[in-house]
Amino acid sequence: MTQNRFNRTTTLNQQEPDRGTKTAMRIIVPLQGVVQGRGGLVLGSIIPCALFYFFQLYLKRKNRNPSPPSSPDGLLSSLELSGSGLSRSQSRTHLSPRASSGPAYVSSRANSIEKSSDSPYYVGLEKVLDDPFDSVRNPDGVIQLGLAENKLSLDLLQVWIKESVKSSMMGAGGDLNISRIATYQPFDGLTELKVAVAGFMSEVMGNSVSFNPSQIVLTAGATPAIEILSFCLADTGNAFLVPSPYYPGFDRDIKWRTGVKLIPVPCRSADNFGLSLNALDRAFNQAKKRGLKVRGVLVSNPSNPVGNLLNRETLYSLLDFAREKNIHIICDEIFAGSTYGDEEFVSMAEILETEDIDRNRVHILYGLSKDLSLPGFRVGVIYSYNEKVLAAAKRLTRFSSISLPTQRLLISMLSDSRSIREFLETSKERLQKMYTLFVEGLKKLGIECTRSSGGFYCWADMSGLIRSYSEKGELELWDKLLNIAKINVTPGSSCHCIEPGWFRCCFTTLTEDDIPVVLERIWKVAETCKSRS
Amino acid sequence: MELISNSNSNNQQLLSRIATNGGHGEDSPYFDGWKAYDNDPFNYTENPKGVIQMGLAENQLSFDLIEDWMKTHPRASICTTEGVTEFKDIALFQDYHGLPAFRNAVAKFMGKTRGGKVVFDPDHIVMSGGATGAAETITFCLADPGEAFLVPTPYYPAFDRDLKWRTGIQLLPVVCESSNNFNITITALEAAYENARKANIRVKGLLLNNPSNPLGTVVDRETLRNIVTFINKNNIHLICDEIYAATVFSQPNFVSIAEIIEEENVICNRDLIHILYSLSKDMGFPGFRVGIIYSYNKNVVNCARKMSSFGLVSTQTQHLIASMLSDDEFIDSFISESSRRLAKRHKILTNGLSQLGIGSLKSNAGLFFWMDLRRLLKEPTYEAEMTLWRMIIKDVKLNVSPGSSFHCTEPGWFRVCFANMNDETMEVALRRIKVFMKKQMMRRSNLRLSFSSRRFEECAMTPRMMGSPHSPLVMTPHSPLVHAS
């Protein structure tokens, strides 16, 4: 299989043949026509080739200098694939003294990951791992407010599982009590687990909708769930629209190996960061003009980081929008069971149940990491109304299948409806309480948060504390908070927020006693910021 | 809420290429074997005439040992009264480095299964979603779309799907032949590399499966050294899939690539060396999904670790395995007992077959052997192989895997798995083959009256493994796949 010399050095070109060739053709064809009339065959081939070559160089250079992840216009991000020809300078492999003929060339994906590790989101997480706070053993450690772990209701889980064990739903070796199977296990999960998960999801959404187990594909965590769905719905070089600010993990989970782009659709504080259909429409049209094919819209409900809920009207409008543009809707409802406050949570599934609409374009994501505090067990859910998507996703779960003992354990746990109900209720109460405490505490420091109704975060406006109203100012404050106050919060720029000064703070890793500690640390930094300005 | 099975073209356009192309490999005709089994699965008591599954490479011979250990070590499980105190910490842990105890235990186990000759560093161990996930992840880390890995044939069919589907790379065969017992030669390696060069395809690595699936053989030291020289010379990666390392049941011993690169006279850039591993075969854990990538290249470790988010091992499983693999006494006795049982099963089957005049490649590892049915082919073509295979499924009611699905360049070889059934089932399988061979011999002796093919009868009577004279082979263009292992 012969390949064009140019194509070999630029991976971008391989992935976007339509776009590159189309533009190139527009230049070459008229040029060739002109040149061949006079200069003949030689000029007629050299000039277009030269132009094509320089065009490739331009594209390559454009992608070599990507904009930082925070740019609001972020069509390119630091995770964009660089040309494989760069591996020579970028691979930091140390050569053993008995080296061979050169450094080991890895893939461009491997090279690109070097850069993204410098983003604040990941730096902060690393810092906590190195020096984690513990009220007794390490009171000066870094307090984790950047990772959504729910520690508020772990004691309930412990009780729940103890009872399951006692009532001998499992016994010694129970999680290994697998009958000798001569056939392979379905990679997308045991049917009994799907049934149990469907029931659980129903319970989580307040029993206002029932989920069909045969529309479920189970994956080893929500991370592969979103990646698998992306592989199914879009080709390399296509794009999803995502209202911003959004969960920083999407950048890696969706874009990295699939080559799918994310186009942020900014939401504004003036709208309480609510989703605007107009903005979506504008973004879609802009993308189209740039030659980007949008394959879907990705929304989170409750949203991360803001914690907003999508109301019925918005959900209907989204469906209309998707139908009009013939694209997919991916609805990440992973925090559905972690709502608090007065607003009612409405799942996309509920909307689809009531109306007779085109369901083929709707896919819901879920998992047990948040609502059930079981991130270690790796359970993610793809819930789709599209038979073909389900079939394709099923096949892809061979790379990300849930461990069998864990499946057995969960089948037991999730069949206990009474415990589920109790757990969810208490969990919500505690979330509400902790949220209120934390937000009020911040308010006393002069830091306002948006009103949120779900999730593990508060979205805090610290723009009053930053020196220059810019991303740079925001990152300076972030640095102070991390290294002086020793709390890891997520800066809004990592979430692609276009307004500087917003920070995402997770409150579920804290106990009530920790809150004053956190507030005091923030206050100290806040004072130094204020005294300077 | 019903599922809409919408057949309009609008629906089709909504999906990606990966979702709609044949990269999953399930459309190949070889699925027939699995379908036949699924429709009519053998059960000793309830369905004694059903199809016996001999196409699945799973190790179920020593599962009882594991179960016994579980019963006597309830703390290893977080679902028992003794172990449940750890539940919440385990459930919450989501660091992609993995539980330290898990990594340490795996490193130790890997050292043990290589005869204690090598020491593995737990910091270089990365998790993945089963061996399947490990193979795909290492590919994502090392190669870009359009680039290629060389793979010696015959090879595990699912590599075609696992390594190519989402990554976009190609697999180029390095041809191995029965004339030298399918050993990998430098000539073959260089020929394959040269072909790639001519076709302007950039080769990024060589994928080596040692012990080999489907051959069941181990690669000898000399060949390993030659391979290391080859990859260093060309500056390409060496990915060693050593998933069957602990299934070696007789001489010669298994030599890991880890051992070779420690040798004094071997010059090697370690950044090019990567090992794939899993506990699915050695320990026989069905569905635990424990895949391991061990790389000497820090960059690759770093990249693979971040990719492991797409297929982390459940912490519940990590915890269980950490306990089990740290029990030195148990592990030592397990490995030796498991080998003993595999050796026994292998011997019964291969002896039984050779008494019927069916030879196989001499092997000492794996959960299968490479059976030689070339003389039963009407003609040395893939069509004849397929005809024979269909006959075996339909008449003998055994699902064995045809060599063409492993990209074997010589028709007539079949992979037979022996570790996924109990003794009674194996006896039934042998009996059926006996009956089939008798019929074949009778048919041929009838034919002899009209044809003068004395040769056939000779072959059928002697247990030697003969190389039958082949006419130029007809290569089929497609690469058919067998489902699962």
Side-chain angles (χ1 to χ4, degrees):
Chain A
M1 182 164 100
T2 14
Q3 284 181 340
N4 187 317
R5 163 164 61 105
F6 305 134
N7 285 344
R8 234 170 25 106
T9 50
T10 320
T11 51
L12 180 69
N13 205 34
Q14 280 175 350
Q15 286 141 21
E16 291 186 316
D18 300 321
R19 182 175 165 222
T21 329
K22 202 162 73 157
T23 334
M25 278 296 119
R26 282 206 201 112
I27 304 171
I28 290 172
V29 172
L31 213 59
Q32 248 179 351
V34 164
V35 173
Q36 272 172 356
R38 246 182 264 155
L41 211 54
V42 175
L43 279 180
S45 5
I46 290 187
I47 293 183
C49 280
L51 276 170
F52 198 63
Y53 177 61
F54 286 124
F55 182 72
Q56 302 312 328
L57 265 184
Y58 163 69
L59 280 177
K60 203 160 128 187
R61 218 170 270 139
K62 186 166 148 206
N63 287 330
R64 200 180 297 182
N65 304 317
S67 42
S70 57
S71 80
D73 189 30
L75 282 181
L76 299 171
S77 87
S78 60
L79 289 183
E80 279 291 291
L81 304 176
S82 42
S84 58
L86 293 175
S87 52
R88 197 183 290 263
S89 51
Q90 285 194 337
S91 97
R92 286 184 225 149
T93 52
H94 42 270
L95 298 178
S96 63
R98 301 182 290 182
S100 61
S101 36
Y105 297 119
V106 293
S107 68
S108 27
R109 286 177 182 96
N111 286 322
S112 70
I113 203 63
E114 298 277 345
K115 285 185 271 182
S116 83
S117 308
D118 296 332
S119 88
Y121 179 60
Y122 295 109
V123 168
L125 292 179
E126 283 290 320
K127 271 248 154 75
V128 175
L129 281 176
D130 288 336
D131 182 21
F133 170 80
D134 185 292
S135 54
V136 171
R137 280 168 287 185
N138 187 16
D140 288 326
V142 184
I143 301 182
Q144 176 68 288
L145 299 182
L147 185 65
E149 275 180 349
N150 186 356
K151 293 186 178 161
L152 301 179
S153 306
L154 283 178
D155 55 325
L156 293 176
L157 260 186
Q158 195 82 12
V159 169
W160 181 354
I161 187 81
K162 262 199 176 122
E163 280 177 13
S164 301
V165 164
K166 263 197 227 129
S167 68
S168 55
M169 276 195 235
M170 288 157 283
D175 48 340
L176 262 200
N177 194 8
I178 307 151
S179 53
R180 306 301 160 90
I181 19 162
T183 56
Y184 56 92
Q185 292 294 324
F187 287 115
D188 61 320
L190 297 170
T191 313
E192 299 133 288
L193 183 55
K194 290 187 187 180
V195 170
V197 168
F200 178 71
M201 285 171 75
S202 241
E203 196 66 53
V204 160
M205 319 269 177
N207 282 315
S208 55
V209 57
S210 71
F211 289 88
N212 181 353
S214 64
Q215 285 173 246
I216 289 180
V217 167
L218 294 172
T219 62
T223 303
I226 182 74
E227 198 203 29
I228 285 174
L229 202 51
S230 305
F231 268 116
C232 290
L233 304 181
D235 295 316
T236 308
N238 294 158
F240 289 154
L241 298 176
V242 201
S244 68
Y246 63 78
Y247 164 52
F250 279 157
D251 283 329
R252 187 182 282 176
D253 297 349
I254 297 177
K255 292 158 63 169
W256 192 16
R257 307 193 305 184
T258 65
V260 171
K261 301 180 198 290
L262 290 182
I263 301 175
V265 180
C267 304
R268 300 176 187 281
S269 56
D271 305 325
N272 204 43
F273 293 97
L275 173 61
S276 149
L277 265 303
N278 284 337
L280 267 184
D281 198 48
R282 267 199 309 273
F284 183 88
N285 294 329
Q286 275 173 3
K288 204 167 168 193
K289 281 202 196 106
R290 285 198 188 104
L292 273 177
K293 185 158 184 211
V294 173
R295 298 300 287 263
V297 182
L298 168 62
V299 293
S300 306
N301 179 26
S303 72
N304 173 355
V306 181
N308 281 336
L309 299 181
L310 295 176
N311 59 24
R312 275 177 212 276
E313 203 187 303
T314 314
L315 290 171
Y316 279 119
S317 310
L318 263 176
L319 284 169
D320 286 335
F321 177 77
R323 190 176 41 240
E324 189 195 310
K325 311 289 182 193
N326 192 25
I327 59 178
H328 294 276
I329 300 179
I330 305 169
C331 213
D332 185 354
E333 299 190 345
I334 200 174
F335 287 105
S338 303
T339 51
Y340 40 83
D342 304 318
E343 226 183 302
E344 179 208 12
F345 171 75
V346 180
S347 164
M348 181 62 97
E350 200 184 318
I351 304 285
L352 291 176
E353 217 173 37
T354 53
E355 291 263 319
D356 188 25
I357 9 180
D358 181 8
R359 302 192 189 118
N360 269 312
R361 51 184 83 255
V362 180
H363 320 278
I364 297 175
L365 290 170
Y366 190 63
L368 299 184
S369 311
K370 312 293 179 192
D371 293 343
L372 214 47
S373 297
L374 302 175
F377 290 174
R378 316 308 302 151
V379 181
V381 183
I382 299 175
Y383 189 82
S384 177
Y385 296 80
N386 187 320
E387 212 178 58
K388 292 196 161 63
V389 171
L390 286 174
K394 267 188 191 125
R395 293 188 182 118
L396 287 172
T397 54
R398 60 183 289 106
F399 300 109
S400 313
S401 195
I402 304 180
S403 189
L404 212 46
T406 304
Q407 294 196 46
R408 293 272 154 194
L409 163 57
L410 289 169
I411 290 170
S412 283
M413 271 185 84
L414 297 180
S415 57
D416 184 356
S417 349
R418 196 184 55 96
S419 290
I420 295 179
R421 230 165 275 146
E422 274 177 22
F423 179 84
L424 289 174
E425 258 176 48
T426 316
S427 178
K428 283 184 193 176
E429 279 168 19
R430 294 185 185 182
L431 278 171
Q432 165 97 68
K433 188 166 170 209
M434 194 65 70
Y435 170 76
T436 316
L437 270 175
F438 196 66
V439 168
E440 276 172 10
L442 285 177
K443 201 167 177 172
K444 290 199 185 106
L445 296 179
I447 299 171
E448 295 281 341
C449 297
T450 56
R451 191 179 75 91
S452 73
S453 315
F456 296 168
Y457 304 101
C458 34
W459 186 234
D461 183 5
M462 301 197 197
S463 53
L465 300 177
I466 60 180
R467 245 192 305 174
S468 66
Y469 190 68
S470 64
E471 189 194 324
K472 184 160 169 278
E474 178 186 286
L475 288 175
E476 273 175 15
L477 177 58
W478 170 77
D479 191 82
K480 277 198 207 126
L481 287 169
L482 182 62
N483 293 311
I484 302 177
K486 300 187 96 179
I487 47 175
N488 177 34
V489 290
T490 314
S493 46
S494 293
C495 305
H496 301 265
C497 182
I498 53 169
E499 299 176 24
W502 290 88
F503 286 82
R504 183 189 77 164
C505 314
C506 174
F507 55 83
T508 56
T509 53
L510 305 170
T511 63
E512 279 183 52
D513 297 330
D514 293 332
I515 293 192
V517 178
V518 174
L519 292 175
E520 206 204 310
R521 292 190 188 187
I522 299 180
W523 176 76
K524 282 202 184 114
V525 169
E527 288 298 292
T528 58
C529 290
K530 283 183 190 149
S531 64
R532 258 190 231 147
S533 60
Chain B
M1 204 163 31
E2 282 164 22
L3 207 50
I4 296 178
S5 53
N6 199 337
S7 56
N8 70 43
S9 63
N10 221 21
N11 187 23
Q12 199 58 30
Q13 284 163 15
L14 282 179
L15 266 63
S16 68
R17 274 180 233 133
I18 283 181
T20 48
N21 70 16
H24 52 77
E26 288 170 19
D27 292 334
S28 77
Y30 294 99
F31 226 176
D32 292 347
W34 284 83
K35 286 189 191 133
Y37 171 75
D38 284 339
N39 290 335
D40 185 19
F42 174 84
N43 183 294
Y44 195 73
T45 44
E46 284 157 47
N47 188 15
K49 290 207 180 9
V51 176
I52 298 181
Q53 175 65 286
M54 299 186 91
L56 177 62
E58 281 201 355
N59 187 357
Q60 288 163 20
L61 295 183
S62 305
F63 204 63
D64 56 318
L65 300 173
I66 308 268
E67 277 186 331
D68 288 337
W69 187 91
M70 292 285 312
K71 290 202 178 97
T72 49
H73 294 78
R75 288 206 61 139
S77 160
I78 51 175
C79 306
T80 56
T81 0
E82 294 86 340
V84 80
T85 41
E86 308 231 32
F87 185 88
K88 66 179 202 302
D89 290 327
I90 298 287
L92 206 63
F93 186 86
Q94 55 176 324
D95 181 0
Y96 58 26
H97 287 81
L99 290 170
F102 171 74
R103 267 184 297 135
N104 290 337
V106 170
K108 215 166 67 148
F109 181 73
M110 284 174 74
K112 249 195 225 286
T113 51
R114 283 142 181 86
K117 302 205 193 102
V118 216
V119 172
F120 289 92
D121 181 358
D123 287 336
H124 283 248
I125 287 184
V126 177
M127 294 181 278
S128 62
T132 308
E136 196 200 33
T137 299
I138 197 72
T139 308
F140 269 123
C141 291
L142 300 178
D144 287 324
E147 295 178 341
F149 284 165
L150 301 178
V151 201
T153 65
Y155 64 81
Y156 167 52
F159 278 157
D160 286 322
R161 168 179 41 195
D162 298 346
L163 275 77
K164 289 164 54 171
W165 193 9
R166 298 194 292 188
T167 61
I169 68 144
Q170 311 177 56
L171 289 180
L172 303 175
V174 176
V175 178
C176 302
E177 294 169 335
S178 63
S179 49
N180 70 340
N181 291 326
F182 296 97
N183 277 325
I184 302 166
T185 62
I186 293 295
T187 324
L189 280 174
E190 298 200 332
Y193 192 76
E194 182 60 24
N195 286 341
R197 203 189 59 81
K198 284 204 196 107
N200 238 340
I201 300 173
R202 184 171 176 190
V203 173
K204 247 359 207 316
L206 169 64
L207 174 64
L208 181 67
N209 194 203
N210 177 28
S212 160
N213 175 1
L215 303 174
T217 55
V218 299
V219 183
D220 64 278
R221 256 179 223 276
E222 195 54 41
T223 311
L224 283 172
R225 286 189 199 118
N226 289 339
I227 289 175
V228 169
T229 311
F230 173 79
I231 58 128
N232 265 272
K233 184 177 83 170
N234 295 300
N235 198 28
I236 60 175
H237 294 274
L238 178 59
I239 304 126
C240 278
D241 184 353
E242 299 190 342
I243 195 179
Y244 291 101
T247 63
V248 177
F249 48 80
S250 62
Q251 291 293 322
N253 277 335
F254 170 66
V255 179
S256 163
I257 195 72
E259 208 184 313
I260 297 290
I261 60 175
E262 299 287 347
E263 282 181 6
E264 267 190 35
N265 307 324
V266 172
I267 297 183
C268 180
N269 177 2
R270 291 186 184 200
D271 281 341
L272 297 173
I273 307 291
H274 322 274
I275 298 177
L276 301 180
Y277 193 57
S278 164
L279 298 177
S280 316
K281 311 295 178 185
D282 295 349
M283 302 297 288
F285 290 145
F288 277 35
R289 314 309 300 158
V290 179
I292 303 288
I293 298 171
Y294 188 92
S295 175
Y296 289 83
N297 182 325
K298 283 217 169 81
N299 265 357
V300 173
V301 169
N302 184 31
C303 180
R305 187 163 282 143
K306 296 188 164 86
M307 282 191 188
S308 65
S309 301
F310 298 113
L312 289 175
V313 177
S314 164
T315 44
Q316 173 194 16
T317 306
Q318 290 186 44
H319 178 76
L320 174 64
I321 286 179
S323 289
M324 194 181 296
L325 297 186
S326 313
D327 186 343
D328 283 324
E329 210 185 298
F330 168 70
I331 290 296
D332 287 336
S333 71
F334 177 87
I335 293 178
S336 64
E337 178 60 19
S338 176
S339 294
R340 198 191 62 80
R341 294 184 188 185
L342 284 171
K344 183 171 166 212
R345 182 59 71 81
H346 175 264
K347 193 163 174 199
I348 294 177
L349 264 177
T350 46
N351 279 352
L353 285 177
S354 72
Q355 279 166 18
L356 298 170
I358 299 176
S360 57
L361 185 68
K362 185 159 180 304
S363 66
N364 66 323
L367 309 173
F368 31 73
F369 57 85
W370 196 228
M371 177 171 68
D372 183 3
L373 294 183
R374 284 177 294 174
R375 71 192 66 112
L376 292 186
L377 294 185
K378 287 211 176 73
E379 29 171 47
T381 62
Y382 288 116
E383 281 81 18
E385 183 184 276
M386 288 306 292
T387 310
L388 177 60
W389 179 62
R390 290 210 168 89
M391 203 187 331
I392 296 177
I393 294 184
K394 217 165 66 80
D395 298 336
V396 193
K397 299 207 125 185
L398 299 178
N399 181 28
V400 293
S401 314
S404 44
S405 61
F406 296 85
H407 302 270
C408 185
T409 49
E410 300 165 43
W413 292 90
F414 289 79
R415 187 191 76 169
V416 181
C417 298
F418 56 75
N420 61 317
M421 62 189 70
N422 58 22
D423 290 328
E424 292 101 13
T425 312
M426 189 194 57
E427 295 295 333
V428 175
L430 265 177
R431 239 180 294 137
R432 289 185 186 180
I433 299 177
K434 206 170 178 177
V435 168
F436 172 74
M437 287 306 290
K438 282 210 173 101
K439 278 202 209 136
Q440 288 285 307
M441 273 156 51
M442 272 169 45
R443 202 161 62 87
R444 291 224 167 130
S445 62
N446 287 338
L447 285 176
R448 202 164 49 101
L449 297 175
S450 29
F451 299 174
S452 58
S453 45
R454 298 203 82 163
R455 190 194 298 149
F456 278 36
E457 198 187 12
E458 272 173 54
C459 292
M461 298 304 259
T462 57
R464 279 179 295 142
M465 183 175 79
M466 261 177 54
S468 22
H470 294 304
S471 54
L473 300 176
V474 174
M475 306 281 275
T476 52
H478 64 92
S479 53
L481 294 170
V482 174
H483 196 290
S485 10

